[in-house]
Each structure stands twice: as structure tokens, then as C-alpha cells.
Amino acid sequence: MIVNEKKKSPVFHHMMDFWNIITIISLIILTITLLYPFSSLILKSFIDKTGESFTVKNYINFFKLPYYFSTLKHSLVVCLLSTFFATLVGLPMAYISTRFNIYGKKILNLMVILSLMSPPFIGAYAWILMLGRNGFLTRALESIGLRVPPIYGLKGIVLVFTLKFFPYIYLYVSGALQSIDSSLEEAAENLGVSGFKKIMTVTFPLILPTISAGALMVFMTSLADFGTPMLIGEGYKVLPVLVYEEFMSEIGGNVSMASTLSVIIVLCSLTVLFIQKKIIAKKNYTMSALRPPKVKELTLGKRILATVFCFLVALIAMSQQIVVIVTSFLKTSGPLFLKEFSLESYRLVRHRLSHNISNTFAFSTIAIIIMIIAGMLLSYVIVRKRTKITGILDMLIMFPYVIPGAVLGITLLVAFNQGPIILSGTAVIMILSYVIRKLPYTIRSSTAILYQIDPSIEEASINLGVSPMKTFFKTTARLMAPGIFSGATLSWITTINELSSSIILYTGRTATISVAIYTEVIRASFGTAAALASILTLTTVISILIFNKISGSQGVSL
Amino acid sequence: MSYSVQFTNVVKKFGDYKAVNNANFTVNKGEFFTLLGPSGCGKTTLLRMVAGFNEIDEGEIRFDEKVINFTPAHKRNIGMVFQNYAIFPHLSVYKNVAYGLKARKVPEKEIQKRVEEALQMVRMEEFRDRQPAQLSGGQQQRIALARAIVIHPDVLLMDEPLSNLDAKLRVEMRSIIKKLQKDLGITTIYVTHDQEEALAISDRIAVMKKGVIQQIDVPEIIYKKPANAFIANFIGTSNFIPGTIVPMGNGLQHQLTLLDKWTIEINLLKSYEGEVMVSVRPEQIELQQPQKESIQGKVILATFLGDFINYEIELENKQIIQVNEYAKAGAKLRSEGDWVSVILDPYKMNIYDEKGKEALL
């Protein structure tokens, strides 16, 4: 009898080798690009201004000085209000559009996705154009004797966030509503419960986890957004704006205080994430509708009313893009738009800002290629080679989900400004931040599809004589393609629109479109900003349309 | 070219639990061999060790003389049919079947010929250009079978291949598989939890429980002479009636008493004294008009099942047993509440020790 205790059979050796190498390389890269920068950041937050001695003074100051502490309160107020209103808008819209036969559902979906995918601060900018001190709506209303209070401050931020982020609720909840098997609601009716009571006792509890997941997205993105409060907040300062100011201040930024603030934001995000997970723990129902719920036929009047409601909301949400595109074709005189069409803004862009456009596309293309390859390999490691180590890998990769862009920017800059690796001011650091920040989208949708691919398909291929490596590329990767593609589309769109880390990391040479839009707005060069924003919007629309065309589905999955 | 498959002290551990505990047996060349047992008994684990998807922790598996422990899964030249078929969803029927031949770098012309042949064997030739999504479960099953045999495997493995099919199709596929296996003469190891399927299809059956092989034999013996009470209970239906054994003299002659009433003399395999479990199949029991000096019972449920009638009979000790009586022409259905005599045939029963672990007869 031969007992093989130490020797492992070579087939497993071989398979484990390749994936082990992938795991190890990924861990090394993540250590350098994520763990090391974050440790530096945390370390920095405990070092005083002079950069010498260890101190907790930054943290004490944060909680003691109202200048700092008020921003935390502001951020929380903004996030809570935005989440509340986004849910208030998104929930009924999702219910109406999935359960009733309203007109133009596909267009409605596309409009909603578009308003979510616009560059983050364009909403703020557009609403200033409409309802700002000099906004055309403000003036129009004044001319008929109506004085509207200016849009700036808390209400402006909440308005923009609500309109921009309600799509999260809408898209998540629509999906969940369609996955409730109709038998569940029929059972409720059969037991004598109907109408509103049925919704409250069956439908609502079933989609509650989804609502909370959507609400979490609204809260987190509101907490992380930097461009909107910067433009429209004015005196109402929120945390990310403070971080930016502390870091970039022209009178010599206070890096250690900025680090402290960054750590605090990340802690806030993690707390919220933790609370949400705690709330929905054990309440996650896996549902797959054998028979999707019935779409109820409305009478003509009600049908029109429901349609009008949905499209009105979607239109208001999209008004930012419409305003931007229209104004991009207007002649300008300094900061003012004239009532005359021209392509002047576009000429100026081509003349002065074309390198921003090529930067955006070059960086994003490189980033997306890296993300696709990494997404494919890492999701396989995470799903199929599950060990404690790959579990850590999974956590590390998903961690940037809760890091606001500005914080990531500062983190990378603090780490790679000095020391063994210097990357500040290079394209590499921009691409790095994009990959770290947007990779989770690709990974999430790649792992989701991988869970649906039966492992026996791979085994069948190996069994038929194709080596495990070849099997991965010939079969598994091929079957994963739709999932990778859908996640990559989302990564791509959010990358080309990325502002908050770019604004920290860019130099003149590496400025992107969104950075240029921001600086142009600050310089009151509204025409060129509008033209650039239109280019971004158009690219986004085309990307979504290409995706829909290829995948044949109705939209990117979030 | 077909091989015999030898298992020598084969062990598979998951943590401390031995999912396969010291398997020792040989599957003969060209044999249709079935691993049968309830879910979690280790049968699939053992099969996957042959395929190369589970490591062999201890012991050896040999194809003829060659130890395959260290041969990578993709070099074992084994055909395998998976429970869910594992048809490549992105490839047409033809490409699915050709997949293994391409991997073996078989010339295109020969691939075509062999794929056509394989599709003919499973009667799927007109589906060669379909996509898997357009096929029914039974059709996918046949493609999986064609894909496994087209590579001329040394050994064919099947992991519950029929469990996802409806009852009628299952019986049909069963005979297709059996005929194909006999025609090709491929050594086949088949895994199932369905005892009826195992009895119908196998040359020999190994019954497994908790990682341990309980009995290996031809279907008839497995059914008629189960090695222990677990097998008697798992294969088909058995009635277990408690009894007492008293030795008569020093030999193997014993006296068996059931329900304090019915006593016979019987030759056991070894000397024994004490409580026993007597196992009788429902169709091995005869019902007669009530008579003294015999075990009596009351009909509590009669179920007409076409060619036979199933009765539930309550014995005097309140135990309920199953009895099947063939529906002979003119025979009257017994009514619920009727009293009957339950007649046992000593040649058609099995006797196990008190714990049901060892056969005494």
C-alpha cells in the first residue's frame, strides 16, 4: 500500500499554481497601491503640522472646532435628506413603471440611466444656470414678478443629489419588483389581503433589502460627491469640500489635517455600510420569478396620468443635460450666454482643451483594459478558488467602494509624492486611481455571472482533454463575457466622468475633460464647460447604446 | 481499448470525515458497475476521484496496471456524463461533441466522421446544428453521452445522468445507455441513488453508506440477499419483524420464533442466540384465510396498483407490514378490516442480528 500524504497530484498543483500566482501578484499590487497608501494616510493623520511628532490633536481639533465639525453635521444632513427624497421619488416611480402599463417604458429607463450617468457636478452647474443668481429661470420668473430664493446652499445640494441619485432606487427596486413571483401576491389576495394592505404586508417587506441597498448607494455617493457641493454649496460646506480645501489650500495645504478628515470620511462610510448590512442581515430573500408579476392595465386617463408623472420626473432629472447641451451651442460673451447659436465654444475647446479630451480617452482606455483583465482573473479566483486569502483579496478589492474619490486621490498623492515610488503628476497615478476606484463594478458583475456558470462545464472541458488553463480561456472566460462586459461598461462610463480623484491628482499635462469642465466653470468660462460636458454626455450615451446593442438588454446592470 | 479499474485502500478526507473510507474493489474490463447509495454516501466523491476532480488522499486507483493518481484530469482519457449534462451553452451540438476530438488534435475529416457516428448512436443526427438552448433535457442528455463516448474513452463515468429526466424518459434513456455500453464494451462506472435504476442497468452494484462500501454483487443477489438491514431497507421495500433465535444443540441448527407464535427450525450461517431482525419483501409474503397457529393480522389499507395490490397489514404486535399480492384473474380485493393469516417462507427471508449489521441466513 502506498500512502501519498505529502505528494499532491500534479493536476491540482498545476491548476493551483497559476491561480496562486495570480492571487499572490494581486495581493502584492494591492498592498502597494492600496494598503501602503492607506497606512501612510492613517499615519499622516496622527502627525502634527510640522511633520515630526505623533499627535492626536488633529482628531481633537476636528471634534472641538466647529469649523471642522460642522462639515460632518452638514454632510450627514445632506446625505439623509438626499436619501429620503431620492427614495420618495424613486420608489413610486419604480412601482408604477413595473406594475402598470405606462407608455414608453424603455425610453423612461434610458432617461433614468442617463441622468445617473452624467458627470457628477454637471447637475449643480446646470441648476445654477437655471435657478442661480443669474439663472435664466430666475430671471424669467423675476420678469413676471416672482422672486425665487437662490438655489445655493443646502437645498441646492439636496435637489441635485435627489435628482441625480434617485435612479439607484428606481433601478434597484424595479429589478426587485420584477423578480417577485406573482404567486406570492396572489397568495396574499387568496388569503383575503389586497390593495394597499397587500403591498405593505407582502410586496414592501420583500423589496425592503433592495430598497436599503439602493438607499445605501444614494447615501454613499452623496457622502463622496465633491463637485456638486463645491459648486452649489457656497457657505454650506460638507466634508469632501473641506478635505479638498485643506489639502489644496493656496496658503500651503494642511496635509495632516486633510488626512485626518479623509480617515473620518472613510470611517463614516464604513459605519453606514455596516449599519445597512446589519439591518438587512437574514432578510435577504433570493427570489427568481418563475412567473413575473402581472402588469396591470390602467384606464386611459389613469394611464396617461401615470406616464406623465414618470416622464416629468425623468425630464426634470435630465434637464441638466438638456440645459448643458443647448447652452453649448450658444454664443458667449464672457460668462454670459447670448441668444444666438454658434459653434464658438466647440472651436475654443478644440483649440485650447483638446488634450483634455485625448487624456480622458487615453487614460480611460488603458484603465478599462486593465480592469477587464483583472476583473476576469480576480473574479475567478474569488469565486472558484475560495480560501481565506482570496477572501481577503475580495475585501481589499471591494474596499474602494466606500472610499470617496477625493480621499483616494489624497491617499495616493500622500503615498506616492515621496518615498520609494514617486508617481505624482504622472498619468500612471491617474490611471491607478481609476482602476482602484472603478474595478469593483467590473468585479461585481463578473463574479455574479460566474456564480451562475456551473463548475461542471469547466470539468467537462478538462475531462475532454483540454488543460485547466486552456479551459479557462476557451470556455469559462467566454461564458463570463456578458457579465464582464456589463460591469466594464459601468466602469468605463464612471471612469470617463470621474472628477473627485482626478481633481486632486491632475497636473496641467494630465488634466481630463471633467477636470477641465470644473476649472472652466470656476473661471466662469461657461460656454467651453458646456461644450466639454456635452462631449462627455454624448460619449456616455453612445457607450450605453453600444452596450445595449451588443448585449440586447435594457441597460447596464448596477 | 477498455481497462479494468482497481481501487486499493482508497481514502478521501474532508477534514476529519472520511467521505470515502478504504475502498477496495475492482471494476472489470467492459463491466457496467454502479455505485449506489443515499445522498452524501461518498459515491460521487469516489467517481470524481476517478475523473481527477477530487484528490486521492490515500491509496491507489489503477487502470489495468497503471496507477492514475498523478495523471492530470485532462490526460486521463475518461468519458464523463455529468448530472446536469454540462453542455457548453455557447457551442452548437456538433461543436460540443467535437470538443474533445479537437483537443486531441484529431484530423478534421475524422472528427466529422466520428461526430456523425456518435450522434447516430444517440439518435440525434438531425440536431447537429442546433444550439443547446433549443434542446430539451433528454436531448441534452444524449449530446452529453455522445460527447463522452466520441473520444473513445478508456473508462466511462456517469454521475446521476438520469436524475433530471421525467420518469418515462428515464426508462427510455436507461435502455439506450445500457445497449450502447454493451455494444462499445466500455468499462463504465455509474453513480445513482435510485435503486430501481441501479438494479435495471448494472452488471454489478456497490452499495455505499457513509463512505463505506457495504456490499458488492450482481443486482439479483443485492436484492435477494442484502448483506445487512441497511441494504435490505434501501434496496426495494423490506418488512422488519422482530424475532428470537435459540440454538438447538451445538450445530448451526436454530429455532426462530416470531411474535411468540410462529416457530420454525432453521440453519444459520453461524451460531447465535438472542433477538434478531427478520426481513421479508412485500411480495414474498402470502396472505391466507385466518387460521390458528399462524401470524395473524388485519387489513388496514388496500391500494390497487394495476398488476398487484398493496396491503398494509397490522400485526398483533401493532406493527404494520407491507404485502403485495398479484392481482390474479377473478381474485377479490380484500376489504379493510378483514383478518388474514400472514404466511412466511423461510427460504424467502433474511435474518440479521439484533442491530441489523450482519446477515445470519
Side-chain angles (χ1 to χ4, degrees):
Chain A
M1 180 181 117
I2 299 165
V3 180
N4 312 296
E5 280 184 332
K6 296 239 167 73
K7 278 192 281 177
K8 301 270 164 167
S9 78
V11 53
F12 298 100
H13 241 350
H14 185 76
M15 277 159 64
M16 287 309 286
D17 268 351
F18 176 72
W19 296 112
N20 273 345
I21 290 167
I22 296 283
T23 309
I24 290 164
I25 291 176
S26 317
L27 278 176
I28 292 170
I29 292 176
L30 282 169
T31 307
I32 297 170
T33 58
L34 200 66
L35 281 184
Y36 162 64
F38 257 88
S39 328
S40 321
L41 183 83
I42 294 170
L43 210 65
K44 205 90 177 173
S45 74
F46 285 108
I47 283 172
D48 74 353
K49 243 181 174 173
T50 60
E52 313 245 303
S53 50
F54 181 87
T55 174
V56 285
K57 216 173 144 210
N58 289 328
Y59 287 92
I60 294 172
N61 279 347
F62 176 82
F63 288 104
K64 224 171 62 185
L65 301 178
Y67 174 75
Y68 294 124
F69 191 63
S70 65
T71 58
L72 178 65
K73 283 194 288 190
H74 289 168
S75 272
L76 291 181
V77 170
V78 162
C79 292
L80 286 173
L81 286 178
S82 306
T83 308
F84 175 74
F85 285 115
T87 312
L88 207 63
V89 175
L91 204 54
M93 232 176 117
Y95 193 81
I96 291 170
S97 77
T98 48
R99 292 302 169 84
F100 301 117
N101 61 332
I102 60 161
Y103 298 99
K105 280 184 190 179
K106 278 195 174 176
I107 300 170
L108 183 71
N109 268 338
L110 191 65
M111 285 171 75
V112 172
I113 290 172
L114 270 182
S115 47
L116 179 63
M117 291 302 156
S118 64
F121 47 90
I122 282 189
Y125 161 60
W127 283 98
I128 291 172
L129 286 181
M130 286 186 272
L131 284 171
R133 265 173 221 102
N134 215 359
F136 62 87
L137 281 181
T138 316
R139 274 181 293 158
L141 289 171
E142 258 169 26
S143 67
I144 55 166
L146 266 177
R147 283 196 63 88
V148 274
I151 192 82
Y152 306 96
L154 175 64
K155 55 182 172 301
I157 304 176
V158 172
L159 173 77
V160 174
F161 280 171
T162 302
L163 290 176
K164 189 167 158 47
F165 298 137
F166 87 87
Y168 281 125
I169 307 273
Y170 172 83
L171 294 170
Y172 277 50
V173 172
S174 303
L177 280 173
Q178 277 161 346
S179 71
I180 298 178
D181 194 277
S182 57
S183 65
L184 289 174
E185 289 181 27
E186 283 165 8
E189 279 175 38
N190 177 259
L191 292 166
V193 177
S194 66
F196 187 66
K197 206 171 172 197
K198 178 189 75 186
I199 294 177
M200 292 312 287
T201 52
V202 176
T203 319
F204 187 71
L206 283 175
I207 58 169
L208 197 61
T210 316
I211 297 173
S212 81
L216 178 76
M217 283 302 286
V218 177
F219 194 99
M220 300 279 245
T221 36
S222 304
L223 183 63
D225 195 296
F226 153 79
T228 303
M230 189 73 188
L231 287 180
I232 210 170
E234 294 210 333
Y236 202 82
K237 199 178 282 179
V238 295
L239 258 176
V241 172
L242 182 69
V243 173
Y244 176 76
E245 283 182 356
E246 282 294 317
F247 192 74
M248 301 298 259
S249 168
E250 284 175 23
I251 348 156
N254 182 351
V255 177
S256 64
M257 192 62 206
S259 303
T260 308
L261 296 172
S262 299
V263 172
I264 287 168
I265 296 188
V266 172
L267 285 179
C268 287
S269 297
L270 283 175
T271 311
V272 174
L273 184 73
F274 183 73
I275 292 172
Q276 192 259 357
K277 289 261 182 275
K278 202 86 193 163
I279 291 174
I280 64 159
K282 289 179 190 165
K283 279 200 193 137
N284 247 332
Y285 317 106
T286 40
M287 293 183 291
S288 58
L290 293 173
R291 279 185 310 133
K294 279 191 219 88
V295 175
K296 209 166 153 191
E297 304 281 323
L298 291 174
T299 56
L300 188 67
K302 280 186 180 169
R303 190 177 177 190
I304 290 172
L305 214 65
T307 309
V308 166
F309 166 75
C310 290
F311 274 87
L312 202 65
V313 176
L315 259 179
I316 294 173
M318 271 197 78
S319 59
Q320 29 167 320
Q321 273 124 324
I322 298 165
V323 167
V324 164
I325 291 173
V326 170
T327 52
S328 75
F329 290 106
L330 291 181
K331 205 174 167 63
T332 54
S333 154
L336 291 180
F337 288 108
L338 305 174
K339 283 184 183 151
E340 196 183 320
F341 279 91
S342 100
L343 290 175
E344 188 193 286
S345 300
Y346 287 93
R347 266 195 295 275
L348 270 173
V349 165
R350 215 188 70 183
H351 185 65
R352 203 154 55 76
L353 299 163
S354 61
H355 77 281
N356 298 65
I357 299 174
S358 52
N359 277 348
T360 289
F361 285 104
F363 299 167
S364 303
T365 305
I366 296 170
I368 201 69
I369 291 170
I370 298 172
M371 283 189 259
I372 288 173
I373 296 169
M376 195 165 77
L377 297 175
L378 290 177
S379 55
Y380 190 86
V381 168
I382 289 166
V383 175
R384 288 284 183 340
K385 307 282 162 196
R386 190 177 290 164
T387 60
K388 270 187 189 140
I389 293 172
T390 58
I392 293 170
L393 194 63
D394 189 16
M395 260 173 45
L396 280 180
I397 294 166
M398 287 300 157
F399 179 51
Y401 231 46
V402 299
I403 306 175
V407 171
L408 183 70
I410 290 173
T411 311
L412 292 177
L413 208 52
V414 165
F416 299 122
N417 213 359
Q418 59 204 27
I421 310 166
I422 295 175
L423 294 175
S424 53
T426 64
V428 175
I429 201 166
M430 304 277 285
I431 294 167
L432 183 63
S433 86
Y434 296 158
V435 172
I436 292 177
R437 192 115 181 283
K438 308 301 183 188
L439 183 62
Y441 293 116
T442 306
I443 297 263
R444 268 229 317 211
S445 97
S446 305
T447 48
I449 197 162
L450 198 51
Y451 277 118
Q452 290 170 8
I453 300 172
D454 197 300
S456 64
I457 299 250
E458 287 161 50
E459 289 173 356
S461 168
I462 293 169
N463 173 257
L464 288 166
V466 177
S467 72
M469 271 295 307
K470 263 200 189 151
T471 292
F472 176 74
F473 290 105
K474 238 178 125 166
T475 306
T476 320
R478 171 70 187 67
L479 292 173
M480 282 169 72
I484 299 171
F485 188 50
S486 122
T489 306
L490 201 60
S491 295
W492 163 259
I493 290 169
T494 48
T495 303
I496 57 173
N497 286 311
E498 213 285 335
L499 173 72
S500 42
S501 67
S502 307
I503 197 81
I504 306 263
L505 297 170
Y506 85 101
T507 60
R509 245 171 357 100
T510 60
T512 58
I513 298 179
S514 46
V515 168
I517 298 172
Y518 177 77
T519 48
E520 292 297 292
V521 170
I522 296 294
R523 292 173 45 192
S525 173
F526 293 137
T528 46
L532 284 170
S534 303
I535 293 171
L536 262 189
T537 305
L538 191 69
T539 313
T540 306
V541 174
I542 290 172
S543 304
I544 295 176
L545 290 179
I546 290 176
F547 173 78
N548 284 357
K549 187 88 193 157
I550 295 178
S551 70
S553 80
Q554 285 190 20
V556 283
S557 62
L558 291 167
Chain B
M1 180 64 200
S2 231
Y3 289 92
S4 68
V5 184
Q6 294 167 44
F7 298 78
T8 316
N9 302 321
V10 171
V11 172
K12 175 77 206 169
K13 290 182 201 153
F14 291 125
D16 284 338
Y17 179 70
K18 285 187 176 168
V20 173
N21 194 349
N22 218 23
N24 267 306
F25 61 95
T26 302
V27 179
N28 300 322
K29 199 170 286 189
E31 189 177 26
F32 199 117
F33 191 92
T34 297
L35 299 170
L36 172 67
S39 65
C41 73
K43 55 192 191 298
T44 297
T45 308
L46 188 54
L47 189 81
R48 291 171 59 85
M49 288 163 88
V50 180
F53 299 129
N54 281 345
E55 254 175 293
I56 300 162
D57 291 339
E58 285 173 31
E60 276 176 354
I61 298 179
R62 264 178 244 181
F63 286 5
D64 279 356
E65 287 311 306
K66 199 183 140 219
V67 177
I68 57 147
N69 285 33
F70 304 118
T71 313
H74 65 282
K75 290 188 178 153
R76 289 192 186 185
N77 199 33
I78 291 172
M80 183 155 177
V81 178
F82 293 82
Q83 186 170 14
N84 56 5
Y85 322 137
I87 297 293
F88 303 121
H90 59 301
L91 300 178
S92 68
V93 165
Y94 179 88
K95 285 187 173 163
N96 259 285
V97 180
Y99 193 91
L101 295 175
K102 285 223 172 98
R104 285 167 174 72
K105 305 217 162 51
V106 174
E108 193 58 40
K109 264 227 172 108
E110 199 190 329
I111 291 184
Q112 257 178 32
K113 196 177 128 246
R114 279 166 71 173
V115 171
E116 296 291 339
E117 269 172 24
L119 286 176
Q120 260 168 29
M121 280 186 218
V122 295
R123 297 180 221 147
M124 286 290 289
E125 55 269 42
E126 68 265 47
F127 294 92
R128 52 166 285 170
D129 296 319
R130 294 275 187 99
Q131 289 298 314
Q134 300 167 287
L135 300 179
S136 70
Q139 291 168 335
Q140 292 196 22
Q141 171 63 259
R142 290 170 192 222
I143 298 308
L145 190 58
R147 188 177 67 179
I149 57 173
V150 78
I151 59 171
H152 297 165
D154 297 338
V155 175
L156 182 62
L157 306 179
M158 301 185 139
D159 184 9
E160 307 233 10
L162 304 183
S163 62
N164 290 333
L165 301 179
D166 64 59
K168 208 160 182 181
L169 203 53
R170 201 147 57 207
V171 174
E172 192 189 322
M173 276 308 291
R174 200 158 80 186
S175 67
I176 290 180
I177 290 174
K178 185 155 190 186
K179 280 178 200 148
L180 207 59
Q181 192 268 343
K182 284 284 163 269
D183 288 348
L184 299 172
I186 308 176
T187 311
T188 300
I189 305 179
Y190 187 97
V191 159
T192 183
H193 66 271
D194 181 338
Q195 41 99 11
E196 190 196 320
E197 191 175 300
L199 294 174
I201 207 166
S202 321
D203 292 330
R204 278 196 303 155
I205 298 172
V207 184
M208 287 182 79
K209 180 196 176 189
K210 291 182 180 164
V212 179
I213 292 175
Q214 309 283 319
Q215 184 177 11
I216 300 180
D217 221 314
V218 297
E220 200 188 341
I221 301 290
I222 295 270
Y223 187 81
K224 289 189 176 159
K225 283 280 160 207
N228 56 41
F230 162 76
I231 303 173
N233 192 33
F234 182 70
I235 312 276
T237 311
S238 291
N239 297 299
F240 292 102
I241 304 168
T244 324
I245 291 273
V246 182
M248 299 170 72
N250 292 327
L252 296 173
Q253 212 170 33
H254 292 73
Q255 193 180 49
L256 167 67
T257 308
L258 286 184
L259 305 172
D260 300 329
K261 219 169 179 182
W262 188 69
T263 304
I264 53 163
E265 283 175 21
I266 204 161
N267 274 324
L268 295 185
L269 295 168
K270 63 178 223 182
S271 178
Y272 186 87
E273 181 167 13
E275 304 289 308
V276 289
M277 289 168 79
V278 173
S279 147
V280 202
R281 300 280 186 197
E283 69 274 16
Q284 311 286 29
I285 299 174
E286 203 184 322
L287 298 180
Q288 287 182 359
Q289 289 308 314
Q291 43 194 268
K292 283 190 175 172
E293 301 288 305
S294 74
I295 304 167
Q296 298 205 354
K298 191 170 68 176
V299 175
I300 57 168
L301 187 68
T303 310
F304 180 72
L305 289 164
D307 48 353
F308 66 90
I309 304 152
N310 173 266
Y311 293 105
E312 284 187 13
I313 311 274
E314 189 182 87
L315 302 180
E316 285 151 285
N317 66 348
K318 299 288 170 202
Q319 183 184 1
I320 293 167
I321 61 165
Q322 306 279 334
V323 179
N324 290 343
E325 208 174 38
Y326 276 87
K328 287 171 231 140
K332 213 180 83 204
L333 203 70
R334 293 173 201 280
S335 312
E336 282 147 31
D338 282 1
W339 280 88
V340 288
S341 263
V342 175
I343 310 297
L344 304 177
D345 180 346
Y347 297 103
K348 291 177 179 169
M349 61 167 68
N350 287 290
I351 303 175
Y352 302 104
D353 63 6
E354 198 180 358
K355 286 177 179 157
K357 292 214 163 149
E358 191 182 356
L360 301 171
L361 190 63

